Amino acid sequence: MNILLAASEAVPYAKTGGLADVSGALPLALQKAGHQVALIMPAYRSTLKSQFEMECPGIEFTIPIGQKTVAGSLLKSYLPGSQVPVYFVRQDHYFERDQLYTAGKGDYVDNCERFVFFSRAVLESIRLLNLEVDVLHCNDWQTGLIPVYLKTLYRHSPQYQRIVSLLTVHNLAYQGTFWHWDMLLTGLDWKYFNWHQLEFFGNLNLLKAGLVFADAINTVSPRYAQEIQSSPLGCGLEGVLQQRRSALTGIVNGADYDRWNPACDDNLPVRYDATSVVAGKAACKAALQRELNLPVEPRTPLLAFVGRMVEQKGIDQLIAVIQDWVQQGGAQWVLLGTGHQQFEEAVATLAQRNPRMVAARLDFSEPLAHRIEAAADIFLMPSQFEPCGLSQLYSLKYGTVPIVRSTGGLADTITDVNDETLAAGTATGFVYQEHSALALSQAIRRACNHYQDTAKWTKIIAAGMAQDWSWDKSAQQYTALYQQMIARLPPRPVTVH
C-alpha cells in the first residue's frame, strides 16, 4: 500500500505531545512491514534550525486563503536511519515561530488560517509530487479539513478519487474550534456549515469536520474509543461519534523500543534485561537516589511521576496523597515535569519540606526520565482520562510496576494484580477505578504491601517485561484497518475499448 501520513508534529523534528511520537515511529514500522510510506508536516522554526539534512525539490505552490492567495514550498528529508521521505510544508509567515501552536498564554490567533493552509498544501503536494496514495492518514484537528477537501474540492480529480482518509484522534479535548467567520478561510461552500457537518454551537470545528468526512476514524486505544462516545469524555462530540461508531476503532500506540529499552539505553548507569533486572534496577535506583540527594535505601519503595503537572494527569490528587504519606514515611517520591503554576509550587514545597522523601525537578529532561523509569519501583499514572499513555508501556519494559487509573489506554494495557492474575502470571500492575485521592492512596498501599513480598514482586516484573507493545504490533493493526478501508471502495469502472 501507499500511505501518506499528515501530522502537525513528528519526532525528531517538532514535538509537544504523544502525536509527535506516533508520527515519527508509525511510518518506520509501516515501511518495515513492506508499505510505501511518506510523512508530511509543517516546516517550523525548530525544524529549519535542526541539524537534519534537507533538500529543496524546487516545488512551489499557492493556496487560496479566503480572498487572498498564499505561497508556499516543499522541503524534503528522510526519517533518521530510514528511507521514509518526510516532506515539510514551508511558509515562514505561518510556521517560522518559536512555538508550534501557542504564543505566551494563548493560542496563535491565526491557527485556523495556518492549518487551512497546511491541509490544502498536503493535497496540492500529492499532485505536485505525483505521489501514489492509497491511504491519507490524518491526525487530530490540524488535519481535520483534509477529509473534507477530498470529498468536496478535490472529488472530481482522478488522482484523488481512489484515496481513502483515516482520521486518528489522539486527544478529543483538543478540537480546533474557531469563530464562524473563519469558514471564509477554508474555501468551502457555506452549505457545509451546518450542525451535521462543520458547525459546532455556532462555531467552526475542524476536528468535527474530519470526524464527519473521514472514511474511517480511530483513536489510540480501544477503551478510549468507547469512552468518547458518551459524556464527559466525548467533549460535546459524543453524538457525532455515536453516529459514526461503525467507522470508529481503537489501536493502542506502540512503544519505541529502540529508544526505550533498558538493555541498550545509553542514559542509564547500568543496563539490564529480564535476566538481570534485579541487580540492574538496584544499581540504577541507588544511582538515582544519589543524583537526587535522597537517602540510598534499597528496600524503601521508590515511586515516580513523570508528566505534565495538570489536572488531567491527576497531579492534584497525587500531591494530596504525598502530603499524607510523608507524615508516615516508608516511601520515597520522585516527580519530573512542568505544568500549571499552582501544582509546580505545591510540588516544590513538598520537596523543600521533605528532602529525604521527596525529590522534584520542575523541567523536562528525557535522559532523566529514562533514569527514573529504570530506577523506580513503582510508576504513578493517576489520570482523569488517558487516550493511550506511553509511560506505562515504558515502565513495563523497564521492570517498573505501574499504578494506573482504569481509563483509556491505561485500562487496555495494564492487568490488575489479584490472586487469579498472579497465579496465571498475567498481573502487570495495579489498576483502580474511582478518580480520587483516596482511591489512589489505597492503590499505592496495595502496591507497597506486595512490594514487600519479593517473590510476588519479581513475578509481576517478569510478566510486565514479557509484554510486547512494540510499533510492529500496532502497524499490523493499522495495516488491517487500511485494507478494510480500501476494500470498501466501489469497483473501478470498466473501460470498454
Side-chain angles (χ1 to χ4, degrees):
M1 278 182 291
N2 299 298
I3 302 153
L4 177 61
L5 193 144
S8 59
E9 57 186 79
V11 167
Y13 307 107
K15 177 178 177 177
T16 64
L19 165 61
D21 295 303
V22 176
S23 304
L26 179 57
L28 298 173
L30 290 169
Q31 186 190 60
K32 183 179 176 183
H35 303 294
Q36 298 295 316
V37 191
L39 169 66
I40 187 165
M41 62 176 289
Y44 299 108
R45 176 177 293 173
S46 60
T47 307
L48 296 172
K49 291 186 175 181
S50 69
Q51 75 278 19
F52 301 104
E53 291 187 9
M54 295 188 187
E55 59 187 76
C56 183
I59 292 176
E60 299 180 351
F61 48 84
T62 57
I63 301 294
I65 302 291
Q67 299 298 312
K68 62 184 178 182
T69 57
V70 180
S73 61
L74 291 179
L75 299 173
K76 183 181 180 182
S77 186
Y78 292 88
L79 281 174
S82 81
Q83 291 302 306
V84 174
V86 185
Y87 298 101
F88 299 95
V89 174
R90 182 166 191 178
Q91 212 300 321
D92 289 353
H93 174 69
Y94 288 147
F95 302 122
E96 215 271 322
R97 305 181 184 185
D98 289 335
Q99 303 297 326
L100 273 58
Y101 317 119
T102 61
K105 294 184 178 181
D107 293 342
Y108 291 126
V109 295
D110 61 347
N111 269 351
C112 184
E113 182 174 340
R114 298 170 74 221
F115 290 102
V116 166
F117 178 87
F118 175 65
S119 297
R120 288 291 295 270
V122 169
L123 293 165
E124 286 298 299
S125 298
I126 293 173
R127 176 179 62 84
L128 294 167
L129 293 165
N130 198 27
L131 295 178
E132 290 188 22
V133 179
D134 299 310
V135 179
L136 186 39
H137 186 160
C138 308
N139 293 270
D140 278 349
W141 71 264
Q142 293 90 342
T143 59
L145 285 175
I146 292 175
V148 186
Y149 289 139
L150 273 176
K151 296 279 179 65
T152 58
L153 301 183
Y154 290 78
R155 72 183 185 278
H156 295 305
S157 175
Q159 191 169 5
Y160 299 89
Q161 287 174 349
R162 305 294 296 180
I163 298 176
V164 294
S165 62
L166 171 68
L167 177 65
T168 296
V169 178
H170 297 265
N171 189 336
L172 196 70
Y174 301 99
Q175 298 183 6
T177 302
F178 303 97
W179 78 321
H180 64 284
W181 288 115
D182 278 341
M183 185 72 181
L184 293 170
L185 301 172
T186 68
L188 294 165
D189 194 303
W190 274 98
K191 70 182 182 181
Y192 298 111
F193 189 78
N194 64 77
W195 71 275
H196 289 292
Q197 294 175 310
L198 274 63
E199 185 267 340
F200 184 73
F201 296 100
N203 292 313
L204 172 65
N205 186 310
L206 301 192
L207 183 62
K208 179 180 178 180
L211 295 176
V212 171
F213 280 86
D215 292 298
I217 308 162
N218 86 294
T219 66
V220 289
S221 70
R223 173 69 72 92
Y224 191 59
Q226 294 298 317
E227 290 174 339
I228 60 177
Q229 293 182 52
S230 59
S231 181
L233 295 188
C235 301
L237 292 175
E238 54 269 16
V240 176
L241 291 160
Q242 289 167 12
Q243 289 181 338
R244 299 226 59 201
R245 60 183 175 274
S246 62
L248 173 62
T249 59
I251 297 174
V252 173
N253 285 339
D256 185 350
Y257 290 149
D258 290 332
R259 291 174 53 232
W260 291 90
N261 184 343
C264 57
D265 193 336
D266 292 335
N267 298 291
L268 307 187
V270 175
R271 299 177 188 175
Y272 59 90
D273 59 18
T275 65
S276 56
V277 59
V278 174
K281 281 192 73 67
C284 289
K285 181 176 179 177
L288 185 74
Q289 288 169 325
R290 286 191 291 269
E291 178 182 352
L292 300 181
N293 298 314
L294 291 170
V296 179
E297 298 175 353
R299 290 305 302 160
T300 297
L302 180 62
L303 295 89
F305 172 91
V306 177
R308 288 183 294 120
M309 294 184 180
V310 295
E311 286 187 2
Q312 183 217 321
K313 300 297 183 180
I315 188 65
D316 52 334
Q317 297 179 1
L318 179 57
I319 289 168
V321 168
I322 296 175
Q323 287 171 336
D324 182 49
W325 273 67
V326 292
Q327 306 303 318
Q328 315 165 43
Q332 292 179 341
W333 310 81
V334 175
L335 299 96
L336 171 66
T338 61
H340 293 164
Q341 183 178 355
Q342 70 200 77
F343 300 134
E344 288 190 8
E345 291 175 352
V347 167
T349 299
L350 273 173
Q352 291 164 3
R353 292 178 177 174
N354 306 278
R356 295 181 61 82
M357 287 181 280
V358 183
R361 294 293 182 268
L362 299 177
D363 55 19
F364 189 77
S365 161
E366 180 146 322
L368 180 55
H370 284 245
R371 294 195 295 276
I372 290 173
E373 280 283 14
D377 300 299
I378 296 167
F379 197 91
L380 301 162
M381 297 187 73
S383 302
Q384 181 180 6
F385 65 94
E386 195 67 62
C388 178
L390 290 172
S391 292
Q392 83 278 15
L393 305 183
Y394 303 152
S395 296
L396 294 174
K397 190 68 173 178
Y398 282 68
T400 303
V401 178
I403 294 178
V404 304
R405 199 178 83 78
S406 182
T407 183
L410 304 181
D412 285 329
T413 55
I414 304 302
T415 301
D416 187 44
V417 173
N418 57 46
D419 291 342
E420 182 179 343
T421 57
L422 273 173
T426 58
T428 58
F430 296 84
V431 184
Y432 67 99
Q433 300 294 323
E434 182 183 333
H435 184 58
S436 69
L438 176 60
L440 171 60
S441 184
Q442 290 172 339
I444 293 172
R445 176 65 63 196
R446 188 159 63 96
C448 289
N449 288 340
H450 279 80
Y451 175 78
Q452 303 306 323
D453 188 324
T454 304
K456 284 184 179 179
W457 198 253
T458 303
K459 195 171 184 178
I460 298 167
I461 288 174
M465 295 187 78
Q467 298 279 305
D468 177 15
W469 294 103
S470 67
W471 272 111
D472 292 342
K473 180 179 177 182
S474 300
Q476 291 175 0
Q477 295 176 287
Y478 273 108
T479 297
L481 177 55
Y482 297 154
Q483 290 171 338
Q484 292 169 12
M485 295 165 62
I486 292 171
R488 289 195 290 265
L489 281 170
R492 292 182 183 272
V494 176
T495 302
V496 179
H497 297 283

